[in-house]
Amino acid sequence: MLKGQKRWLYIAVPIFFFWFFGQIDKVGISVIQTDPEFLNALGMNGEDKNAKIGLLSFVFTIAYGVSNLFWGFIIDKLGARKTAIAGLFVWTLTMISSGLADSYEIFLVSRIILGFGEGMMIPVSGKFISAWFNKRELGRAQASWLTGNYLGPAIGAVALVLVISSIHWQAAFFMLAAFNLFINIPMFIFLTRNTPEEHPRVSKEELSFIRSTSDHNDKEESTTEKKSFAQDYRFWMVWVGMIICSFLFFGISIWLPTYLIEAKGFAREGMTSITSLSWLFALGFVLACGFLADKTRRPSLMAGILFGMTAVFLTVAAFIPNPILAGISMGLAMGCQGGVFHLSNMLMVKYSTPETAGRAAGLLGFTNIMGGFSSYIMGWLRDLSGGDFGTSIAMLIVAAALGFFAYLFTIKKEAADLQFSPLPVQKVNT
């Protein structure tokens, strides 16, 4: 069973749960912040209520983005496995401290530490994928862990609402700490190794397949050895695209539950349904992009199209009177950016080498810092406009248009370089 496919069990499965629970930790605040008891307990009320709510995501993403640079260098030195375990312990402790917080200031500090602890997620995942998978299966490998990135919040939104309504908002944080302590950490300790060469259960045949290349890939790797990813303008276009993607994704995802309740009049049950559906939209875009990117080898073109679709869906949400259709349109816009996030990470692995993947992923992860700006600016704009979301959505539409234009600079080069080559054949013992 799974002979010649152990990489999917030992690497893809732990990383799936890594993101499944980690993303609930990260965006669960968007659901928790709709609970009046939580807001009152931590003093988030008054005229600056929305700015205070936005500041929680702002400080988190600042710490998350900056620490990506730190973790990127650490991973290239210590390896992905030790780095993942260390980061998991940090964010488990912050989940506990968040549940025990009795003031806004203490909770704010816990979000900063959580951002630092989770900042290693993108570099760790990029490092593992780069070391453990063949170049021609990067799309499927990335999709396997990005599935957890979106399935986690889809299920987590429902679970968090149930826990908050039946127990207390503090119990939600303790539950998330338990998931990491009893599921994520043991998986990384017992299943993963930094490279397939270090793992005693990986066969020589599977290792040969992982390291095999086609003639086309040989040429690409030879070029990459002579030219660092930092010298490739396409990497920096992807980096700019990720800045905009982070701005859009965090802005939509953090404020979506509040938007549904306060702007569109949904009850908590309706909010939960559309929020979960929105994360499932993102999952669908990730799976579709993983498949299409491997088939068409046009990830830059696909990312440009997704930015254009995001602008269209946001415009529909801003003008359509039907609240259900407006909510679904916002969810589809968020889903499009999930697809962009997946394609960006795949391009990052393509433009780097296994030796530099940690640093490249760290630079890409740094772009999450923009998510904090979008969540805070949206809260600030809401306070200025008396709680209205109109100006915030207009800002997001402009950002989506900028993302579309950024990828126009890479599409022509991608088309010129396009050469189809056969997928290396994997030999499996029977």
Side-chain angles (χ1 to χ4, degrees):
M1 186 177 180
L2 289 177
K3 186 171 289 186
Q5 304 287 334
K6 295 294 180 63
R7 60 196 179 279
W8 298 100
L9 172 63
Y10 295 132
I11 299 300
V13 171
I15 293 181
F16 167 81
F17 284 104
F18 186 47
W19 282 85
F20 183 90
F21 295 120
Q23 195 69 353
I24 301 176
D25 290 352
K26 197 183 286 105
V27 303
I29 189 65
S30 67
V31 173
I32 296 171
Q33 72 190 25
T34 64
D35 180 49
E37 190 173 347
F38 167 74
L39 297 176
N40 291 331
L42 298 184
M44 285 182 279
N45 41 44
E47 294 182 356
D48 61 346
K49 165 190 169 182
N50 293 299
K52 280 187 174 181
I53 293 173
L55 187 60
L56 293 177
S57 296
F58 175 75
V59 297
F60 168 83
T61 51
I62 293 294
Y64 184 83
V66 171
S67 67
N68 266 267
L69 299 176
F70 165 79
W71 287 117
F73 285 97
I74 295 298
I75 289 169
D76 285 337
K77 297 294 182 182
L78 298 183
R81 181 170 176 262
K82 289 182 179 178
T83 305
I85 294 169
L88 282 165
F89 272 113
V90 170
W91 95 49
T92 299
L93 292 174
T94 59
M95 284 294 102
I96 296 173
S97 66
S98 295
L100 296 174
D102 57 1
S103 71
Y104 178 78
E105 290 74 21
I106 292 175
F107 192 83
L108 199 67
V109 171
S110 73
R111 298 301 293 179
I112 295 172
I113 299 174
L114 176 64
F116 176 80
E118 291 195 352
M120 50 76 192
M121 293 180 71
I122 292 177
V124 161
S125 302
K127 190 75 169 179
F128 271 127
I129 296 298
S130 179
W132 274 83
F133 292 90
N134 185 278
K135 290 285 186 181
R136 289 299 302 274
E137 57 184 3
L138 292 180
R140 282 165 288 168
Q142 293 281 9
S144 70
W145 63 266
L146 284 172
T147 299
N149 187 47
Y150 303 108
L151 188 60
I155 296 174
V158 178
L160 288 173
V161 168
L162 289 174
V163 170
I164 293 170
S165 60
S166 60
I167 306 176
H168 195 267
W169 64 265
Q170 292 173 310
F173 289 104
F174 298 145
M175 176 187 71
L176 295 173
F179 286 150
N180 285 326
L181 189 60
F182 297 110
I183 298 178
N184 274 339
I185 292 175
M187 277 193 167
F188 276 92
I189 291 175
F190 296 111
L191 292 182
T192 67
R193 297 295 184 272
N194 288 326
T195 65
E197 287 84 357
E198 297 175 20
H199 207 295
R201 295 185 181 275
V202 174
S203 67
K204 292 181 179 179
E205 291 77 13
E206 182 170 5
L207 180 60
S208 176
F209 171 75
I210 292 170
R211 299 296 177 234
S212 65
T213 59
S214 65
D215 291 340
H216 173 67
N217 284 334
D218 283 335
K219 293 176 183 177
E220 284 189 334
E221 289 176 358
S222 176
T223 302
T224 304
E225 289 174 2
K226 296 177 182 178
K227 185 177 182 180
S228 168
F229 72 87
Q231 297 174 293
D232 192 332
Y233 82 93
R234 294 174 300 174
F235 173 84
W236 294 109
M237 287 297 100
V238 172
W239 189 80
V240 170
M242 265 298 291
I243 285 180
I244 299 169
C245 175
S246 297
F247 190 87
L248 287 163
F249 189 84
F250 277 93
I252 298 171
S253 64
I254 293 297
W255 283 103
L256 180 60
T258 304
Y259 167 81
L260 294 171
I261 290 176
E262 297 186 8
K264 295 302 176 182
F266 281 90
R268 186 175 293 273
E269 294 77 12
M271 175 275 289
T272 304
S273 298
I274 292 188
T275 298
S276 295
L277 182 62
S278 300
W279 286 101
L280 291 176
F281 284 151
L283 173 59
F285 277 101
V286 165
L287 296 176
C289 288
F291 175 79
L292 292 174
D294 284 344
K295 291 294 183 182
T296 67
R297 295 173 59 194
R298 297 299 306 270
S300 293
L301 175 61
M302 291 169 59
I305 292 172
L306 288 173
F307 271 118
M309 291 172 61
T310 300
V312 171
F313 286 130
L314 288 172
T315 302
V316 170
F319 291 102
I320 196 166
N322 187 291
I324 294 178
L325 293 179
I328 290 175
S329 295
M330 289 290 285
L332 287 169
M334 191 177 91
C336 287
Q337 290 308 298
V340 173
F341 179 74
H342 169 47
L343 294 169
S344 299
N345 279 274
M346 194 183 80
L347 288 166
M348 177 276 299
V349 175
K350 177 181 178 181
Y351 297 144
S352 63
T353 65
E355 293 74 26
T356 61
R359 277 164 281 176
L363 283 168
L364 207 64
F366 175 75
T367 62
N368 281 277
I369 197 171
M370 293 303 295
F373 284 99
S374 67
S375 62
Y376 181 74
I377 293 172
M378 286 182 71
W380 176 70
L381 288 174
R382 286 198 68 210
D383 286 333
L384 286 181
S385 58
D388 184 67
F389 274 93
T391 53
S392 298
I393 295 177
M395 175 185 68
L396 296 178
I397 293 171
V398 172
L402 292 175
F404 172 79
F405 287 114
Y407 267 96
L408 287 181
F409 289 96
T410 66
I411 292 173
K412 185 176 180 180
K413 175 67 173 174
E414 180 180 74
D417 291 344
L418 185 60
Q419 298 178 33
F420 288 99
S421 57
L423 182 69
V425 178
Q426 180 179 6
K427 297 179 181 179
V428 180
N429 290 336
T430 58

